[in-house]
Amino acid sequence: FLVSAPTVATPSAYLPLTQPNFSTLPVGGTVHGESIRTDFDAVRLILPEVQILCSDFTFARATGAAYIIGGNGSCRTDYAHSMFGFAQGSCGPNAFARIDLRGTPFSVDCRFLPTGCGPRGKAKHTSNGQVILVAGTGGQGACAPTQPGTDKPQYPCCSDGHADVLWQKGNFRIQLKFREDEVNVDWYGRCHVDACPADWVS
């Protein structure tokens, strides 16, 4: 594990990632600017719950910058990142997220479901639950991880302001567990997966 500011009373723990882990927010529909891709070299690990904090970008690299106009033009949300494990769009092309925990002792212990206005989404679990492919979009929608302990998908869309700030109020998390042998979960949900990034399926 990586430790941030180890001299403070409650340092932050980060899980290094050795495989491609990324999410996208594509331009189109009510998403304006330049398409965003965020690559994660490590993720914030919440202990003892063993959960990933999806809105921590300490060890993330992002390209692009975008904004979403919502509420019939009454609000604007600015984006510098796309969240870990979320495939979010708005009336435009599909977004994609890839989670790959191979090389760590953990696997994902949740599902990924459509959420928001007119959402579409699908997901696939392989490699003993360590590799998750997620695709989604909607009218201010996403395919998103279920809230830990529930079967309800989390809703990542925001109101006026900057998403990096607004997301900190949402407590967006992915539940993990220690890896064990398990069967693959083939695609569930509905969403086209054409035009995906080349390294999304590799």
Side-chain angles (χ1 to χ4, degrees), residues 60-80:
R61 297 167 286 112
T63 57
Y67 62 94
I68 293 178
I69 300 296
N72 294 319
S74 64
C75 69
R76 167 176 167 157
T77 310
D78 289 276
Y79 293 83

Side-chain angles (χ1 to χ4, degrees), residues 3-197:
V3 178
S4 174
T7 58
V8 302
T10 54
S12 300
Y14 289 87
L15 179 68
L17 302 170
T18 60
Q19 305 294 329
N21 284 263
F22 63 87
S23 60
T24 69
L25 176 64
V27 165
T30 60
V31 182
H32 307 274
E34 182 182 355
S35 294
I36 294 174
R37 170 170 166 147
T38 307
D39 288 87
F40 296 85
D41 298 318
V43 287
R44 172 82 178 274
L45 196 60
I46 304 299
L47 300 171
E49 294 88 347
V50 195
Q51 297 170 350
I52 291 174
L53 182 62
C54 302
S55 58
D56 190 303
F57 304 108
T58 302
F59 293 98
R61 297 167 286 112
T63 57
Y67 62 94
I68 293 178
I69 300 296
N72 294 319
S74 64
C75 69
R76 167 176 167 157
T77 310
D78 289 276
Y79 293 83
H81 297 91
S82 43
M83 263 202 300
F84 184 84
F86 285 73
Q88 177 184 357
S90 186
C91 303
N94 296 330
F96 299 91
R98 176 185 173 91
I99 300 173
D100 193 337
L101 302 182
R102 289 176 296 179
T104 79
F106 301 111
S107 61
V108 172
D109 191 21
C110 70
R111 290 173 65 83
F112 294 78
L113 302 174
T115 183
C117 176
R120 301 188 303 276
K122 67 189 304 182
K124 179 180 183 179
H125 304 228
T126 62
S127 299
N128 295 310
Q130 290 194 299
V131 178
I132 316 295
L133 302 181
V134 188
T137 188
Q140 293 260 8
C143 190
T146 51
Q147 186 73 33
T150 78
D151 59 0
K152 181 179 180 181
Q154 300 169 74
Y155 181 59
C157 302
C158 305
S159 55
D160 266 331
H162 200 291
D164 281 9
V165 175
L166 297 171
W167 280 333
Q168 303 311 312
K169 305 174 183 179
N171 203 29
F172 297 100
R173 300 186 180 194
I174 292 176
Q175 184 66 56
L176 303 183
K177 63 181 179 181
F178 286 102
R179 187 189 66 80
E180 56 190 23
D181 292 337
E182 57 185 82
V183 298
N184 292 338
V185 179
D186 205 357
W187 292 112
Y188 57 92
R190 293 189 304 166
C191 188
H192 295 297
V193 295
D194 53 347
C196 66

